[in-house]
Structures are given as structure tokens and as C-alpha cells.
Amino acid sequence: MPLNVFILKSSIFRYIFTSFLLVFLIACSTRKDKLVNRKFQALNTEFNVLYNGNLALEAGLKDIVANYNDNYWEILPIERMQVAEEEILPGENKNANFERAEDKATKAIQKRSMLIEGSEKNPQMDEAYLLLGKSRYYDQRFIPALEAFNYILYKNPDSDKIYEAKIWREKTNVRLENDALAVNNLTKLLNEIKFKDQIFADANATLSQAYLNLEQKDSAISKLKQALNFTKKDEEKARYRFILGQLFESIKEKDSAFAAYQSVIDMKRKSPRQYIVHAQIKQAQQFDFTKGDTLAFMTEYNKLIDDRENRPYLDFLFHQKALFYHQQNNVKEAVFNYNNSLDYQTSDKYMMASNYRNIAEIYFYKAEYQTSGKYYDSTLVLLNQRTREFKSIRKKRDNLEDVIKYEGIAQRNDSILNIASLSDADKIAFYEDYINKIKKEDEFAAEAAKKLREVSEDESKSGNSQNQNQLGIKNKASLGQANPKSSTFYFYNQSSIDFGKKEFIKNWGKRSSEGNWRLSNKKQTISTEEEEEVVENTKEEKIVSEKDNLRYSPEFYIGQLPSSKKELDSIAKERNYAYYQLGVIYKEKFKEYQLAADRLEILLKSKPEERLVLPALYNLYKIYEIIDPAKALTMKENIITQFPDSRYAQILSKSGTSAENLIDDPEIVYKNFFKVYEDRDYRQVIVNVEPAIEKFTGEETLPKFELLKANVIGKIKGVFEYRKALNYVSLTYPNSEEGKEAELLLSDNIPYLESLYFDQAEPTSYKVLYHADNLEDKKTKVLIEKVAKFIKERNQSQLITSIDLYTMDKNFFVIHGLRDEEYAKGVVSILKEFKDYKISEKAIIISSENYKIVQIRKNLEEYLNPDLRVVPPPYVAKPKQPKQTEIKQEIVIPNKNQKKPAQTQSTNNMQPPSGIDDPKSTPKGNTRQDPESQMMPPSPNNPKKG
């Protein structure tokens, strides 16, 4: 090439390159509104920053779809996105892909925006803000997302993305629970959209979700149908059709629901598999097993289970199959399929909880309450603790403890009484059958031990470690068994172990635990002590052998049966009371009326004591009012005819409501006792409350009587007897408010009162005590008169007197208001020495603090004789646990007639009837009968609510 031509071409190239560089530099500016600037910035924004941002957004959406699990127990949401409950702090992101998408959108806005004279010149900025809003929306930061969508609407109202931005804004409003606002805006938007395409479908779908949130299902169905007609995505079509089926089902349009589910199934491979499977399950739920062809139904349903493509959904399929058998009362197949559902690990915790709950209910109705309780425990582990269902099942599980207790008593005592009633020949036959079963079990254990010993000998001879390893692997399977006695693992069977030890010593003698133990020189010589040990072991083996022989003897068991009439009557009485308690528990706590009626009917057939007959009949009447009105009328007539003077007959016949007619009503009796208690006549209460407890056994108010009795015992007998009485209440009535109250007192108040002792606190005042056991005695009256005369003549108005109860047969006449011990001694000296008084009775001077302890512990002798005193351990306060309120609602049978909680008794601390030093609170005449105590049950007129 000639030199001049080369130079010419080089010059042209330089000019072109310089011109291109100049244009590029001019186009890079975001401050100039030129065509080249707009095109360059738009091109760079779309195919560089936004491209990478959209890729990140799509990756994040794939993560959402992969990690999201639909809750088919409820109506599915229109959009597949789970809103997390935990709050997101500023700067936190849940998904790195959405964070990257937001960063790309932010970068595009910051570096490529051409905001000139208040108008955006870069046509890709609306895409950037839309990406920014979407990334924030999926990252569940809805307020910042709303800002991004609003920016498009306000700054770019002529954008081609304006409809899409409006839809996303309303989706965000729906997430923010602004459903009414979303409905209003979307209704306007649908009127604006001219072309009915995917945008139109998305708007209708979002509007349908807003209507669903507002519980307007008819409107939601209408809009969802519109979305279904115009969407182009198969996944959305399948989802919308399934939701339509759920909505039709919720408004009781079963035919429309079945057709909607069938349309999902007909999509075949165009629909995700999960929608097809759950649509088939929903159709199965609508099958009427009482009228339909169950054989054909199960044949088709089993094909679903056998289909390999349905393996990920076998937990749901087996659960529905179990429900089918459960409805037909085929509990064996139901439990089998519930367990099959549990065998397939699922992320649906409610599915697992439902399986456990249903199995628990099956065992409950089979009266296997221990097993039922375990399944209820598993249910509670999987349920959300904030739900009503959790609280209801927890309440049922707590109440099950009483059922387990009383069912155990009833079954055990029934068995004892049934066997005791047999003839001698029948008893022997019964126990011989039982002994044959024991022998078979023992023979099986001995045979298993023998086989294991033979295997062990073969391995030791051959030295084959491989067999040993195989045996170890085989036995590993039994390590997880719940019942060691039924295990085939050698060391879990005590009979096998004992048999093996005996056989080893028999064949090998006593050998040391070391290598080459089979050599003859390894056999240990037995010392005298060891000989004695061998003799002892032989004796023990002989005793064990004798016991085994006794186990094979019917006389051994027959001899343990109760035979006296007194013992049998006691067992029958305990059994009858258990049946009565079961009837009341099933009726009141579980609303299982048929079970309650069965237990009460068994009670009445067992000829119970008279005190249980009337309450049982009345409870049966109330039960039959619900489940069998004809029997209820018969029961009512029997009560009125056979027991016309009873309060139950008066209630049923409504023969008057005067106090005289209802004098046997437990509520009225309790109010009368409470009034006597308020008047501090504790002796009168303790005398009458015991017959009342006997009379009102089985009544709902019985725990109130028991707690009142415990409080009176504390007044009369002191804190140690008070503890015993409260312990009885807490154990006998653990689920009542009074039982819980007693438990609280036992856990904190009682330990504090027991820790109090003499001279722990500085005295603030003193008292003078005189014994006044008989208030009608002449000496006691003279004593009271002389002290009153002393107070009046000496102008000692600060002194007051009272008659304080000490024990059941002892009282104190107390002078209160003495400022110190010397002053008290002076008063006692005047009363004793001066001729106007000459009180010869022994006076006891005591501080107010020590007097409270004497009344609490009933230990006056210890106060008078310091050698008898024993200082109790110090009190350690326990942290107080707040009470948890529970919603009383059952799952199996709704509680429509829930009774109000019974009136409960106060939690106030027990305080002795000690003197008061405030003259303003003294009754007229400066004499009071027992001062007010803080240990009081609630007033019947103003009870504490449970």
C-alpha cells in the first residue's frame, strides 16, 4: 500500500474515532434532553442494569415458589407468597436475590435517571421503579414498595406501565390490610382498561383477594372467574379453579365445587400435580359413604395411592382414607391409615397434629385413656399455642387425668368384685388360664435365652467376628422399642439374663473377667467368704424358684382376694363413687353425654349408697334432656314419684321457691355457712360443714364447702392442720377453682406461715391473756367485769378487750393496746394486787407479734416453756406464676350451654384472730368477739369470678 494512501486512511480513522468518542461523551450526559441522550440512557438501562435486576427478581420468585407450602386446610390465597410474622428491621433482607434486584433498580435510578424540568426523559425509569417496588414487595417491605409504585403514578402518568403499577399498588394495599381502598381503586381501574389481557386478569385476581379478605365471597367468586377467563398462565388457571372449588364448598354449593375440582383434574399435565391431588381429595371428602358404592370408591382411591407421581402427597391421601374409615366406625383401619400418614414425613404440622388428635379420640372412646393422653400430648406439640384448638385440647388433656384415675379405679375394682363373686371352682379355672399364659411367656423367654447362648458359644469357638457383628446389627433394631419386656434383645430381657448367668456358672464355674478366660488355670479358687456368698446366692435362687412356683399356683392369687364383707363393701363403695365422678366429668367437662349416661347407668345397676342415687338420677335426667327426651321424662317422673320430698323433686316440679322449700339447696346452705363464718362462729361452722359435705357429695359446690372447712380448720387447729386440709382440697379437686386456690396457698402462703416464730420481729405493742374457756362460768364473767371496771375507773380508754378463740374448747380473754412490757406488767400488778379488783387468774403477757404466732401455730405451751421451742427453717419466697386463662371450648362436640364458673374463694393469707390496737375499729363497749381475720372465703353476694 502506498504511503500516502495509508496516511489518508489513518487520518480518516482518527476522525471517525474522535467523532464517535465525542458523540459517546455527549450521550453519557443525563442533563441534556437530546434524542441521542434519551436513546443511549434507555438502551443502557434496559439491557444492562435492569436486565440483571430482572434476572435476580426471577431467581427470587423461584425461591418463593420452591419454599412456599400451601395450607389446604383453609381457602388458598390468590398469590403464592407467605407473609412472615416476624418484623424486618431496617437494613435486613430475607432473600439475597431480592436485595440484588433492589440494588440494580436503585443503581438504574441513581445513574440513568434524566429528570429534567420536573419530567423524566428516560423511558426506562418506570421499569426501574416497577422493579424497585416488586423487589421490596416480595421482600415484604410493603411501605417502601408502596412509595416506589406511587412514584410511577405521580411522575409518569403517561407511562405504558401505568396499569401494571396501579395493580401492584393495590396488591400492596391488600397486604397492608387496606382492602376497602383496594376494592375502590381496582373497580375504577377495571373500567379504565381497554384491552382485556393478562393485565385485566391480574386486576380481577387482586380484586378477588380483597373481596376474600372482606368476607364477600360472592363478589370474590365473580372476579376470580373473570381472572380465570383472561389469564394466559396454566399454573394460575389451575390455582384459580381450585380456589373456586373451595369457595363454592364454603357457601354449601357442593355441585359447583365438585365441578370446579373436576376442571382442575381435567387439566392433567397442564396443572401442577399438587392441585390435581388435592382436588381429588376434596372430591373424596364429598363422597356419601352411606349411599354411594364404597367398594368402587375405594378401588379408585387406592389407584391414587398406588400412582408413583402421587408419592409426595401420600400423607394427605392416607389421612383422607383414614377419615373415610373413621366415618364408617372402622377404627382399626382408621388408626392404620392415620399411622401410614404419619410415616410419610411432611412439612404440614397441622396434618400431623390432626392425625394424632383423631387417633387420641379413637382411643378415648375405646376407654384407653393412657394411650389417648399420649396422642393428645403429641398433638399439643405440633399445634400453635395461640389457637383456640390448642387451648381446648390442652384443657381436655388436663381433664383426662381425672378420667384416667377414676376409670382405673372402676375397672380394677370391678375385676376384683367379679372374681371375688365366683365360686371356688370358677376362681381356680380363671387363674389356671392366667397361669398358662404366664408359663408360655416364661418358656418363650427361656428358649430365646438358650438360642442366644448357643449362638454365643458357636461364635466363641469359631472366632468369627463377622457373625458377631451381624448379631449386634440384628439386636440394634430392638434398642428403640418402647417396651423392653417384649424386646428380643438379650439384655432387655431379665429372665434371659438370669438364665444365662446360671447356665454360664453351671458350665464354666466362676471365671475372672480377663483374656483367655476359657483356660482351666483361669478358674478362680473359692474362698470361705465366697463360699458363703455362693450359699447365699443359692438360697436366693431357691427363694426365687419358690416364688416362681407360687406364680404357677392358683391358691397364691386366690389368697390375695378380699373375702370379708367389710373389704368387699369398701371396694364396691370406691367403685361406685368412681362411676359417679366419671359420669359428672364426661357430662360437664367433655360434653360426651352418651359416655356420661353409660357410666351413671352402670352406677345405678350396682346398687350404690343412697347419697349417690339422687344426684345420679338428676344428672341422667339432664343428660337425657339433650340426647333422649323420652327417657328424660321417665327419669323426671321417677325422681318426683320416688323422692317427693327431695330438693331435686322440688326443682323438677317447681313447687315453690321459698327458702323453706329450698333449704336443702347447696348454694343456700353455703351462703348460710358463710354468714356464720363471717360472724366468726367457727365452732358452729366446723360442726355443721361435715354433714353438709356428706350430703352434697357430687355437687358442683362441694369444693367450696371443702375449702371453707379447710379455712375453719386453720382457725381452730393451726397452720399444720391447715396444710393437711388444703392438701386434701388440692388433690381431690385439682381442676376446680378451689383446688387451684388451695394449691397456690400451699406453694407460698403456708411455707411463710410455718416459718414464723417467736421474737423474730421487734414488739410494737403488748397484750395480756387470761384463760376464759367457759364464757358462762361465773369466774369468767367476774373477770370480764373487773377488767371493764379497771378501764373505766382508771380512764384507760386506749385499752380494749376481746374474747378470742384459741382451740375447739379453749378461749382467751385479751386486753389489747399496752404500749410496752413494763406497762403491761404494771396493769397486771394492779389487777392482781388492788383490793378493788383482786384478779387471781394467771395472766400471760405477750407481744402482739408473738400472739399472732401463738394463734397461727397453736403453740402457747412452747411460748411459756422456751425449752420446748424448735426454730423452723427460714422462708424462701417463690416467684409468682401468672394465671393463664383458657377458653372453655371442646372440639368434638361444641359447648353450646357452657355453664358459668362456680364462685371461688379468696386467696387472702391466713391470719390469726389477733387483737387490734386502733380504738376506732373497736365495737361499742370496748369488747369484741373474735377480730376479723384475713383468711376469708368470698362473700356469696360478691363472689370472686373464676
Side-chain angles (χ1 to χ4, degrees), residues 382-431:
L382 295 166
L383 287 178
N384 184 350
Q385 296 185 11
R386 297 181 180 180
T387 61
R388 281 189 175 183
E389 186 175 8
F390 175 87
K391 295 176 181 178
S392 176
I393 293 179
R394 184 176 66 180
K395 186 70 174 177
K396 190 171 186 177
R397 178 64 183 90
D398 293 342
N399 291 335
L400 204 59
E401 293 296 334
D402 289 336
V403 174
I404 292 170
K405 171 187 172 184
Y406 289 117
E407 285 286 358
I409 293 172
Q411 292 174 8
R412 183 190 68 237
N413 290 12
D414 263 337
S415 298
I416 293 172
L417 293 172
N418 289 337
I419 296 172
S421 65
L422 297 174
S423 64
D424 292 341
D426 290 338
K427 288 178 183 176
I428 292 173
F430 175 83
Y431 282 116

Side-chain angles (χ1 to χ4, degrees), residues 170 178-188 207 210-211 214:
E170 302 318 319
N178 299 326
D179 299 299
L181 177 62
V183 168
N184 185 42
N185 292 338
L186 285 169
T187 304
K188 294 178 181 178
L207 183 55
Y211 279 128
L214 294 172

Side-chain angles (χ1 to χ4, degrees), residues 140-294:
Q140 299 182 23
R141 292 158 46 228
F142 300 117
I143 298 297
L146 195 62
E147 293 176 353
F149 298 134
N150 281 331
Y151 188 88
I152 301 173
L153 301 179
Y154 297 140
K155 293 293 183 180
N156 297 318
D158 298 327
S159 170
D160 59 345
K161 299 290 183 182
I162 193 67
Y163 291 153
E164 189 175 354
K166 287 183 177 181
I167 292 172
W168 277 97
R169 181 185 66 176
E170 302 318 319
K171 288 176 69 174
T172 309
N173 277 326
V174 169
R175 293 292 182 183
L176 293 172
E177 299 181 0
N178 299 326
D179 299 299
L181 177 62
V183 168
N184 185 42
N185 292 338
L186 285 169
T187 304
K188 294 178 181 178
L189 177 62
L190 289 173
N191 294 328
E192 296 175 7
I193 298 177
K194 298 178 181 178
F195 300 102
K196 295 185 177 181
D197 52 8
Q198 186 64 42
I199 294 294
F200 186 77
D202 292 342
N204 277 286
T206 305
L207 183 55
S208 177
Q209 183 64 63
Y211 279 128
L212 275 178
N213 295 345
L214 294 172
E215 298 293 331
Q216 298 178 20
K217 293 181 180 178
D218 290 336
S219 300
I221 290 172
S222 173
K223 295 303 176 184
L224 193 57
K225 285 181 177 179
Q226 289 276 54
L228 175 62
N229 292 334
F230 291 99
T231 184
K232 306 300 182 192
K233 302 175 182 178
D234 288 336
E235 193 277 337
E236 288 185 357
K237 289 180 180 179
R239 188 175 185 86
Y240 295 168
R241 284 169 175 163
F242 187 87
I243 296 172
L244 281 172
Q246 290 182 306
L247 290 173
F248 284 128
E249 195 172 5
S250 67
I251 61 176
K252 310 301 181 184
E253 294 185 11
K254 292 187 176 181
D255 292 339
S256 299
F258 192 91
Y261 293 135
Q262 187 61 45
S263 67
V264 177
I265 299 170
D266 292 340
M267 289 183 69
K268 298 182 179 179
R269 299 203 176 270
K270 291 183 179 180
S271 167
R273 191 67 186 173
Q274 59 179 340
Y275 297 132
I276 295 176
V277 173
H278 283 283
Q280 290 168 325
I281 290 174
K282 288 290 187 180
Q283 286 186 338
Q285 290 175 0
Q286 295 184 7
F287 176 73
D288 187 356
F289 66 91
T290 59
K291 299 179 181 178
D293 186 349
T294 56

